[in-house]
Amino acid sequence: MVTYHDPNDPFAILLAPPLDETPEQRKAREAEEDAARKVSLRIDEELKAEKAAVKKKKNGVKVLVLGQSESGKSTTIKNFQLAYAYQAWLDERASWRSVIYLNLIRSVNHILEILALEMSNQNSLSHRPTHTTAHSLVHSEESETDVSDDETFVAQPPFAFTGKHKLLKLSLAPLRGVQKDLEVQIGAGASEPEDLSTWYDYTDPAPFAEVERLVARPSNPRRPNEFFIRSNCGWKETLNKLRPRPSPDHPQHPKKGKQHNIVEILVGCSVNIKSLWTDEVVQAVLKRRNMRLEESSGFFLDDVSRIAARNYEPSDDDVLRARLRTVGVQEYKFKIEKGSEIGRDWYMFDVGGVRTSRAAWFPFFEDCNAIIFMAPISCFDETLEEDHRVNRVQDSILLWKAICSSKLLSKVQFILFLNKCDLLAAKLKRGTSKFQNHFPDFVSEQIDVKTVAAYFQHEFKRILKNSPSSPARPLFAHMTSVTNTKTTAATLNSVRDTIVHNTLLSAHFI
Ligand SMILES: Nc1nc2c(ncn2[C@@H]2O[C@H](COP(=O)(O)OP(=O)(O)OP(=O)(O)O)[C@@H](O)[C@H]2O)c(=O)[nH]1
Ligand SMILES: [Mg+2]
């Protein structure tokens, strides 16, 4: 084949084949050019698809779910998935099995550690004067009724440990290795954050506010995108990793291997786990330490016989209660299936809530239609995992202040979830922790979930109203317990209607 080119065009001259090209060289060159053309066509197609997706997203509703760690953000999104994308939920459900195993095994190992500590304390102290022994046994981490002063402490009887407890400790020892294996398998979200207060004098409650200030400076050449790395460590990736893979020989059954061993060890330990959890002495140890595992994240000890079984399949409720820490930012897409908005896409963003993750929220403020802010109000007497000096509700309030002050969010619809009302009710009923000790300006004679929620709602509204960058806008507040799917479904319907109404309103459609 003879190729002609314009002798005055320098590019054509550069790209022209050599005059002495052999037939083989020509064949190879043409094949190369053909492959390059195909790559170029594919890139064009991808760019087109990306453009179409961006355009589509512009018509969708974008909702950010914000709040401190363990406030219930991921659980709220799981509720949205249950209500509006059940097929996607079903596809993911089996992948939660390893997370549920880890939640369960971690509780067992926690009890075993405490048991070992108490047994060794009791052993070593049984040779000392009685009052010292009792002193160590009244140690409790949170109770405000604790007496830890030598002069005033009340002697406590020793625990009646027997050979059964030693045997339980021995027989359940393999679970330590299983916990490690599961943590490696699951990755970053498997662990809770460490307390940073011993390393840093000050951990910033809202580092995104500083990012916003930097970006807003006219002379600052930095773009918002420089401030975050889009993470690929959210549930989707984690769960995808954990998806049961069929073995080539038996497509119906998952591959044998490490996972198989984990299940076998767990099944073998099932009876002893139950025996440990229901043991009266163990319960007395936990009670004296004021530990309420049944109220902590990822509690599955009451379901051990069902979960530690070979044919265990996670239920909707198990998945909802499973605890997997969010690392980075994760996008979820839902299609509205009912009502006048049928077919509209919703994009929900789940974020990691620990203080060190909050700078990464900022790039998602742009174009956002609504924010669901999660404030867990049962935590009025608790401190942050990542900074034990900070009260959890005070942290929520500081975070809320920063969000209300953000200029980028000044037109965004805010929805407040005063969450974990079920745990608040249980805590107030117990009465071990006095609410006024933590919030002295609470004046109501009556202390119950309603009055406490009303007090916080008033505080959050006041902050929004007084915030400098905020034009007058309503705050829609809900008292929630997002592990209760029934009540949450009703709340989400109302949230959906509010967001849709306000999005249309701000687009001047109504
Ligand atoms: N009892 C009760 N538990 C809740 C409630 N909301 C969340 N939880 C539990 O609290 C734990 C933490 O909830 P998540 O939804 O993972 O919290 P998060 O805000 O996503 O936390 P990060 O990913 O660390 O930022 C989970 O085990 C939930 O099951 C609630 O209203 N009541
Ligand atoms: Mg989360």
Side-chain angles (χ1 to χ4, degrees), residues 74 324 326 350:
S74 300
L324 176 64
T326 308
D350 187 17

mmCIF file of all heavy atoms in Angstrom, residues 74 324 326 350, ligand 2:
data_model
loop_
_atom_site.group_PDB
_atom_site.id
_atom_site.type_symbol
_atom_site.label_atom_id
_atom_site.label_comp_id
_atom_site.label_asym_id
_atom_site.label_seq_id
_atom_site.Cartn_x
_atom_site.Cartn_y
_atom_site.Cartn_z
ATOM 1 N N SER A 74 -23.980 5.418 59.461
ATOM 2 C CA SER A 74 -24.074 4.253 58.563
ATOM 3 C C SER A 74 -25.375 3.499 58.807
ATOM 4 O O SER A 74 -25.986 2.989 57.864
ATOM 5 C CB SER A 74 -22.887 3.316 58.788
ATOM 6 O OG SER A 74 -21.685 3.995 58.538
ATOM 7 N N LEU A 324 -19.411 -1.617 61.770
ATOM 8 C CA LEU A 324 -18.217 -1.541 60.928
ATOM 9 C C LEU A 324 -17.900 -0.063 60.775
ATOM 10 O O LEU A 324 -18.700 0.692 60.211
ATOM 11 C CB LEU A 324 -18.500 -2.183 59.554
ATOM 12 C CG LEU A 324 -17.392 -2.116 58.523
ATOM 13 C CD1 LEU A 324 -16.166 -2.900 58.968
ATOM 14 C CD2 LEU A 324 -17.871 -2.677 57.179
ATOM 15 N N THR A 326 -16.771 3.419 59.509
ATOM 16 C CA THR A 326 -16.586 3.953 58.161
ATOM 17 C C THR A 326 -15.232 4.655 58.084
ATOM 18 O O THR A 326 -14.897 5.457 58.939
ATOM 19 C CB THR A 326 -17.699 4.970 57.822
ATOM 20 O OG1 THR A 326 -18.949 4.347 58.093
ATOM 21 C CG2 THR A 326 -17.643 5.401 56.370
ATOM 22 N N ASP A 350 -21.888 8.762 53.076
ATOM 23 C CA ASP A 350 -21.593 8.321 54.445
ATOM 24 C C ASP A 350 -20.128 8.662 54.706
ATOM 25 O O ASP A 350 -19.269 8.428 53.850
ATOM 26 C CB ASP A 350 -21.801 6.804 54.524
ATOM 27 C CG ASP A 350 -21.681 6.282 55.940
ATOM 28 O OD1 ASP A 350 -21.760 7.098 56.882
ATOM 29 O OD2 ASP A 350 -21.515 5.063 56.118
HETATM 30 MG MG MG B 2 -20.148 4.716 59.718
#
